[in-house]
Amino acid sequence: MDANFLISPDRSKHAKYCFGFPKFKEVWLDPIFVAFPNLAIHEAVYDELVIPSVQSYIDSQINSTPRRLVVHQDEALTPEEKVLRDSIEEKIFPLTKYEPLLDNKEDRGEVKSLAFIAVKELLYFAANDSNAIQLVEKAEEWTTGLDNVQAIKMYELIYYLYKMDFGDRQSLRILYKYQYYLTPYEKKNNPEWGQFVEGMDILYPSILNED
């Protein structure tokens, strides 16, 4: 997972209300960790979790029994894997704001996560950042070396939690609107909630259990 899956969004300039961390935890994080008990983040993403409430929550998932969250570390890579990791990073970082020589924080988590995922042949990267998603979905066109990785978007998981009754359905609807249907541009380009659910029902009929 990328950091933006774990940190509550602030879109207060577009809305009269906001998703503070306690509400975000209740509506989003708790259901995610119940629905998917074997999640992971890269150590570079963990370093981005500087807000005490977020860090404390993530630490509780790491230290739970059974463990709900694993932190992948580059030191676990073999020398051969580190060479491959470096070559993939060289392909990715020019398409981001990350500068390896500076080791700046901006986009660092995405670059490090994706390179690690590719090396370890993991399948999925969950992100809510459009550029990170494009690095995966345009892997062949941009030659990022991420051809075997699939991006999981936040709206897909909002839909999954809603359909599988993980968490409060009304709150998930509000979270969708908050993330995807606030601005005039979003209302022009994204479906409203009812249309969104109907469209996703068509795309993912296998998860429907309404018989």
Side-chain angles (χ1 to χ4, degrees):
M1 290 187 294
D2 196 9
N4 51 39
F5 256 52
L6 305 171
I7 299 172
S8 53
D10 181 5
R11 308 199 69 198
S12 54
K13 64 180 180 180
H14 300 300
K16 296 179 181 179
Y17 58 91
C18 66
F19 266 87
F21 184 75
K23 188 64 176 178
F24 188 67
K25 169 183 172 295
E26 174 190 342
V27 172
W28 175 248
L29 291 178
D30 287 346
I32 285 290
F33 280 101
V34 171
F36 304 99
N38 297 302
L39 298 174
I41 57 174
H42 188 271
E43 59 185 330
V45 170
Y46 182 83
D47 291 342
E48 294 180 20
L49 308 177
V50 296
I51 302 172
S53 57
V54 179
Q55 192 173 68
S56 176
Y57 179 82
I58 294 305
D59 285 343
S60 72
Q61 304 306 310
I62 295 170
N63 298 320
S64 66
T65 304
R67 182 178 295 182
R68 291 181 178 270
L69 183 67
V70 172
V71 180
H72 291 309
Q73 298 181 328
D74 283 344
E75 67 179 19
L77 298 173
T78 66
E80 294 78 11
E81 288 174 332
K82 288 179 180 178
V83 171
L84 179 57
R85 184 271 318 275
D86 291 345
S87 70
I88 294 173
E89 282 194 14
E90 288 178 4
K91 297 176 182 178
I92 296 174
F93 87 80
L95 302 168
T96 72
K97 296 179 181 178
Y98 178 61
E99 293 287 347
L101 293 179
L102 299 176
D103 199 27
N104 56 302
K105 291 185 177 181
E106 193 161 13
D107 289 342
R108 184 176 187 269
E110 289 93 334
V111 172
K112 296 291 184 181
S113 295
L114 286 168
F116 188 96
I117 287 170
V119 169
K120 287 296 187 179
E121 298 183 342
L122 303 175
L123 297 178
Y124 304 108
F125 181 56
N128 195 41
D129 179 89
S130 59
N131 191 56
I133 292 170
Q134 286 189 91
L135 291 172
V136 174
E137 295 189 336
K138 295 185 177 181
E140 184 175 354
E141 178 185 347
W142 291 358
T143 61
T144 60
L146 304 171
D147 303 67
N148 296 321
V149 181
Q150 295 184 50
I152 297 178
K153 307 169 188 72
M154 189 173 191
Y155 68 79
E156 293 175 320
L157 291 182
I158 290 175
Y159 169 78
Y160 181 84
L161 296 175
Y162 176 82
K163 297 303 291 191
M164 302 304 289
D165 284 326
F166 287 104
D168 181 72
R169 293 180 125 203
Q170 175 67 8
S171 295
L172 289 168
R173 183 188 69 80
I174 295 172
L175 178 61
Y176 170 84
K177 180 178 179 181
Y178 191 78
Q179 291 286 65
Y180 298 104
Y181 206 70
L182 278 184
T183 68
Y185 177 83
E186 289 170 344
K187 290 178 179 179
K188 181 180 179 181
N189 290 278
N190 296 334
E192 56 84 25
W193 174 255
Q195 294 172 332
F196 164 71
V197 172
E198 289 177 4
M200 295 294 281
D201 286 347
I202 294 171
L203 287 174
Y204 299 104
S206 62
I207 74 167
L208 299 179
N209 296 312
E210 298 177 351
D211 293 341

